[in-house]
Amino acid sequence: MNNLVFINISRFVGLVLLQVIVCNNINFLGYINPNIYVLFVLLYPVANNRLLFIFLSFLLGLSVDMFLDSGGTHAAASVTIAYIRPLFLKFSFGAIYEYHAVKFSKTDLTQRLIYFLILIFIHHFILFSLVVFDQNELLLIFKHTFYSSMFTLLLCLLLSSLFSNKEK
Amino acid sequence: MQQLFNFFIRNKTFVLFLLLLSCALSLTIRSHEYHRSKFIHSSNQITGSIYGAFHGITQYFNLKKENKLLLEENSQLKILVFNRGNLPKTDSLLESTYNLLSSQVYKNSFAVPNNYLTLNKGQNDLIKEEDGVITSKGIVGIIDKTSKNYSRVLSILNTNSRVNVKLKKTNHFGILSWDGKSPEITQLKDVQDLVKIAVGDTVVTSGYSSTFPANIPVGSIKSYRLNDTEDLYIIDIKLFNDMTNLEHVYIVKNTDINELKALNISDE
């Protein structure tokens, strides 16, 4: 249990630092930056205290906001995906989720891909709607959402498979 | 009352979610208004020192380019010194109402519509809000938040940014703003349609505000068109500064600002 707490704390700090020091200076094609910190929300253990989880996600977004001077946009996006996460866990993993036995490192790639894709897309859509904050610029919001989501998804899959310790 | 409590306890996750979401949304809305984002900003002690620590590593990447910029600026200053005798003495930069202070950029962004920079100088160096920030090539932005050791700059690449500028050739002034699209192009508005302008004309700061001295270069005209009512120009300005790659900047401090402010208040 203590080990799990330690892993999550270090993941929190590590991902925030990785986000603000490295990922936000990539600026691929001028404006595409991956938001790698959502991995914390995606990989948080399934059997959890939901109140704590939602609060931690808010804190995660807020710390990124503080570094990036983006108001509360990242906080709003991550607290939303943290709240709706169980719905998509059920959708992507089906029966295993019912028994609270989902271990992300042991699920197969397609299921994980779908789960990541949906949540990352929702997160980015909320994020860029709030960042652009102009309903006349829907096209711009979708463009940003699409490209950044793809970039984030790719990095999330890479990172999660890089650090998963498969014991078979 | 009992039922109300029961309702809250039953839906506590949803209530917490709503609470945090509204918190985040209010912070977001505040941040879209100029000068309103009070609590969450990157010029505090924690974020500043973390940016500082990592900046120690990344600053080496730009050394070559920075060296070249410094050499260019040095040669320009040398030319000024050699030709000192020929210079008119009324140049506003040479009057000592403005002080320059060099500073390093800890964080810069240009990919979103509201961009800010973080600098490593703060109140301890007598930096105040409304001080201007420039490089050797052009203007960067205006200080908008300060802490003891760090300060935040409202970049000219921010949809809230408004800077008073003028056409160098004809002295007609207008307001420089940004539409949030390309980090190389900003927009100059409020120039009358009777003004003669041409592509390539230089735009400089007007000196009407107390933030920037007059005649600091801004950019050159890339293209222009009339606005919807066809009486004012909307001019696209190509910036002289490469806003995507800033390392050393100067903070411009106006030493006469209190006097100017007092004058403005007595006017009202």
Side-chain angles (χ1 to χ4, degrees):
Chain A
M1 189 60 207
N2 272 329
N3 192 21
L4 207 63
V5 172
F6 177 72
I7 286 179
N8 275 306
I9 290 175
S10 52
R11 202 184 266 161
F12 186 107
V13 177
L15 282 175
V16 169
L17 286 183
L18 189 66
Q19 178 67 44
V20 298
I21 305 293
V22 181
C23 291
N24 271 91
N25 291 317
I26 292 180
N27 294 312
F28 183 58
L29 298 182
Y31 62 93
I32 305 169
N33 284 329
N35 291 301
I36 193 73
Y37 70 94
V38 287
L39 202 60
F40 176 83
V41 183
L42 297 176
L43 292 184
Y44 198 79
V46 174
N48 58 44
N49 176 351
R50 261 194 95 192
L51 289 180
L52 181 69
F53 173 49
I54 289 179
F55 184 70
L56 279 180
S57 307
F58 176 74
L59 217 60
L60 175 81
L62 203 66
S63 10
V64 174
D65 277 327
M66 197 182 278
F67 277 100
L68 301 182
D69 290 304
S70 46
T73 50
H74 290 272
S78 19
V79 82
T80 313
I81 58 163
Y83 180 71
I84 59 173
R85 192 178 80 141
L87 200 70
F88 294 102
L89 275 173
K90 210 177 196 167
F91 175 77
S92 322
F93 298 110
I96 332 170
Y97 171 67
E98 301 287 316
Y99 299 108
H100 284 285
V102 182
K103 276 253 164 38
F104 290 108
S105 52
K106 289 187 179 122
T107 53
D108 61 78
L109 191 70
T110 353
Q111 284 180 335
R112 205 167 2 142
L113 184 78
I114 291 171
Y115 166 66
F116 277 17
L117 180 70
I118 297 172
L119 280 188
I120 288 176
F121 195 80
I122 294 172
H123 175 274
H124 281 62
F125 182 69
I126 297 170
L127 175 67
F128 286 114
S129 312
L130 291 176
V131 165
V132 176
F133 215 61
D134 186 352
Q135 78 262 36
N136 301 323
E137 299 279 2
L138 266 181
L139 201 69
L140 187 77
I141 295 176
F142 276 114
K143 200 173 80 178
H144 271 74
T145 307
F146 181 74
Y147 289 125
S148 297
S149 298
M150 290 302 120
F151 202 170
T152 310
L153 181 70
L154 191 73
L155 276 187
C156 280
L157 285 174
L158 281 177
L159 266 187
S160 68
S161 48
L162 192 66
F163 286 104
S164 71
N165 37 349
K166 273 192 179 153
E167 291 144 14
K168 275 186 181 171
Chain B
M1 203 62 191
Q2 184 73 35
Q3 274 186 335
L4 197 67
F5 279 127
N6 277 341
F7 172 79
F8 276 128
I9 291 168
R10 239 181 308 127
N11 295 314
K12 57 179 189 275
T13 351
F14 186 62
V15 172
L16 179 73
F17 165 64
L18 275 191
L19 194 77
L20 294 179
L21 187 68
S22 48
C23 214
L25 287 182
S26 74
L27 284 172
T28 307
I29 292 165
R30 271 168 172 275
S31 79
H32 283 282
E33 293 166 35
Y34 181 53
H35 262 265
R36 290 291 298 281
S37 45
K38 287 208 169 65
F39 310 108
I40 308 296
H41 56 85
S42 66
S43 60
N44 61 41
Q45 217 41 254
I46 305 167
T47 51
S49 56
I50 290 177
Y51 271 134
F54 283 92
H55 183 260
I57 305 165
T58 51
Q59 65 177 344
Y60 290 104
F61 300 152
N62 296 325
L63 275 186
K64 260 192 180 163
K65 198 184 146 279
E66 286 303 320
N67 256 335
K68 205 172 140 245
L69 272 177
L70 278 178
L71 271 178
E72 275 173 22
E73 195 187 358
N74 249 341
S75 58
Q76 269 176 9
L77 291 177
K78 281 242 164 72
I79 292 171
L80 268 184
V81 171
F82 291 151
N83 300 323
R84 180 72 178 83
N86 308 334
L87 270 184
K89 293 213 164 154
T90 49
D91 194 314
S92 64
L93 260 176
L94 297 175
E95 290 167 16
S96 60
T97 50
Y98 289 100
N99 263 343
L100 279 193
L101 195 71
S102 74
S103 171
Q104 282 187 320
V105 178
Y106 271 3
K107 173 228 152 197
N108 181 18
S109 75
F110 50 88
V112 289
N114 290 332
N115 294 299
Y116 296 93
L117 292 88
T118 309
L119 305 183
N120 70 341
K121 291 274 161 69
Q123 285 155 8
N124 285 354
D125 309 280
L126 301 176
I127 307 291
K128 295 183 304 297
E129 289 174 17
E130 306 280 316
D131 285 350
V133 179
I134 60 173
T135 67
S136 52
K137 295 213 162 156
I139 62 170
V140 172
I142 297 168
I143 301 263
D144 126 285
K145 203 114 280 173
T146 52
S147 71
K148 270 203 177 116
N149 296 311
Y150 307 98
S151 53
R152 185 175 80 165
V153 181
L154 185 88
S155 165
I156 48 171
L157 299 185
N158 187 314
T159 46
N160 289 326
S161 158
R162 301 279 180 277
V163 179
N164 219 321
V165 294
K166 67 180 182 188
L167 298 167
K168 194 176 184 182
K169 218 161 58 178
T170 59
N171 273 343
H172 285 92
F173 63 94
I175 289 167
L176 191 77
S177 56
W178 191 48
D179 62 358
K181 298 210 168 78
S182 162
E184 287 162 4
I185 313 284
T186 57
Q187 280 68 39
L188 171 58
K189 287 175 182 163
D190 292 356
V191 176
Q192 290 285 336
D193 64 339
L194 20 112
V195 180
K196 276 196 183 120
I197 51 178
V199 171
D201 279 1
T202 308
V203 175
V204 295
T205 53
S206 66
Y208 291 159
S209 71
S210 52
T211 307
F212 292 108
N215 296 323
I216 292 183
V218 175
S220 60
I221 294 177
K222 184 166 175 278
S223 64
Y224 55 91
R225 60 189 181 277
L226 285 171
N227 69 353
D228 295 340
T229 52
E230 302 219 327
D231 57 345
L232 297 171
Y233 278 120
I234 300 173
I235 307 172
D236 281 337
I237 308 282
K238 187 168 189 335
L239 295 172
F240 291 138
N241 248 343
D242 180 7
M243 292 294 289
T244 62
N245 197 347
L246 295 172
E247 177 69 32
H248 289 93
V249 294
Y250 300 105
I251 301 170
V252 186
K253 295 196 317 185
N254 188 341
T255 46
D256 275 352
I257 197 159
N258 289 329
E259 210 171 312
L260 274 168
K261 268 191 181 157
L263 270 176
N264 283 337
I265 288 168
S266 61
D267 273 355
E268 278 165 7

